Amino acid sequence: MEQDEARAMQLYRDAAERGHAGALNDLGFIHLQGELGQKADPELALDYFRRAADRRHPAAMFNFAAMIDDGKVPGRGAADAALYLYRALRAGDGTLLGLMQEEPRLFDSDTRKALQRKLSDFGFYDGAIDGLYGDGTQAAIRAAFGMEAGGAQGEATETTEETAEAETSETSPIASEPPQEEPDQEPATQTEDTPEIDAEPEPGAGENVTPVLRPKQAARE
C-alpha cells in the first residue's frame, strides 16, 4: 500500500512539474485532506489550487474561489473570488454550472454580489447587486456559461476582450509565493479586482473535470 501511494504521488508530482493543471488541482486535494500518505498541509494545498487556477483549470478556479471566500487566502477578497468564479463559468464546465445554480448559497453574500457585478461588467446582467440569485442572476450565470435563452449551450470561452480587460492591472507572475497583502476591501473598478495570473490556459482545461471543494469539504450555512 505504501509503495502504491508513493508511486501515485510521484506520478502526480511529475505531472505537476510539467505544469499539468489537473495534477496540480488533485495535489491540492491530497495535501488538503492528507491523502496518499501525506500529512494535511492547507498552505501547500492552497498553493497547488492557486497554480492550477492560474492555468485556467475550471475546477481549480472554483476551488480557489471557495478558499478565498472562506478567508483562507491572505490579500484576496470577494472581487477576486468572483473573477475566478466568472472564469470558471466561461470555461464551460457543466459540473460547476450545476453547483452554482442548484446551490446558490455556496458562497457568502459579498462574493455573490461581486459575481453579479462581474456579470454586469461583461454585459450578462443588468439587475440589482444584492447577492440574491433570482431569475435574473440565474439567467446571467447561464449566459456567461454559454447557454442561450432557450437552454442550448453555445460558446463558453472567455473572449480576448474579456481577458484583456480583466488583466489590465496585472503585474509580474506570482509563481509559488503567497499573494501580497492588499487592502481588505472590494474594489469598485474592473482593473483593481484582478488576481495575478502566472500561466496561459492549459490546452483542454475546459473539459468537465472534478473534484471541487464545495459543498462536501466546505459546507455553507
Side-chain angles (χ1 to χ4, degrees):
M1 176 65 74
E2 290 183 2
Q3 289 183 341
D4 291 340
E5 291 179 342
R7 187 178 299 110
M9 281 300 301
Q10 189 59 53
L11 290 173
Y12 275 118
R13 288 170 178 149
D14 288 346
E17 287 178 3
R18 296 194 298 271
H20 190 280
L24 290 165
N25 184 59
D26 288 347
L27 281 169
F29 271 91
I30 290 168
H31 288 287
L32 183 68
Q33 300 174 335
E35 298 177 350
L36 293 183
Q38 307 301 302
K39 292 183 178 180
D41 188 338
E43 291 187 5
L44 182 56
L46 178 62
D47 184 63
Y48 277 122
F49 284 135
R50 180 192 59 74
R51 290 165 61 191
D54 288 350
R55 283 163 173 77
R56 309 296 178 86
H57 187 277
M61 289 189 284
F62 187 90
N63 293 338
F64 194 56
M67 298 195 80
I68 294 172
D69 187 66
D70 285 339
K72 296 178 179 178
V73 186
R76 302 297 193 196
D80 302 307
L83 179 57
Y84 279 108
L85 287 175
Y86 175 79
R87 284 179 165 167
L89 277 174
R90 297 296 280 165
D93 188 300
T95 299
L96 307 185
L97 174 68
L99 280 173
M100 294 179 71
Q101 288 195 284
E102 296 165 13
E103 302 288 345
R105 297 183 65 83
L106 288 179
F107 294 86
D108 69 23
S109 178
D110 287 342
T111 297
R112 297 197 302 268
K113 289 177 183 177
L115 179 58
Q116 287 176 322
R117 189 171 293 110
K118 187 68 59 183
L119 292 166
S120 177
D121 288 343
F122 290 118
F124 294 108
Y125 180 66
D126 61 1
I129 307 299
D130 55 11
L132 302 177
Y133 279 16
D135 292 342
T137 303
Q138 293 284 6
I141 287 173
R142 291 193 297 273
F145 176 78
M147 295 182 69
E148 299 174 356
Q153 182 174 340
E155 292 296 324
T157 56
E158 187 173 351
T159 66
T160 302
E161 290 77 11
E162 288 171 333
T163 300
E165 184 174 356
E167 296 180 354
T168 298
S169 67
E170 290 175 9
T171 56
S172 58
I174 54 179
S176 298
E177 290 77 18
Q180 297 297 313
E181 291 292 334
E182 299 171 355
D184 186 18
Q185 61 183 16
E186 183 173 321
T189 65
Q190 179 70 21
T191 59
E192 294 176 339
D193 65 4
T194 306
E196 296 166 322
I197 303 299
D198 72 353
E200 292 298 318
E202 165 138 340
E207 297 175 0
N208 190 347
V209 292
T210 54
V212 291
L213 281 173
R214 302 201 192 283
K216 181 178 179 181
Q217 291 88 350
R220 311 305 293 167
E221 297 179 358

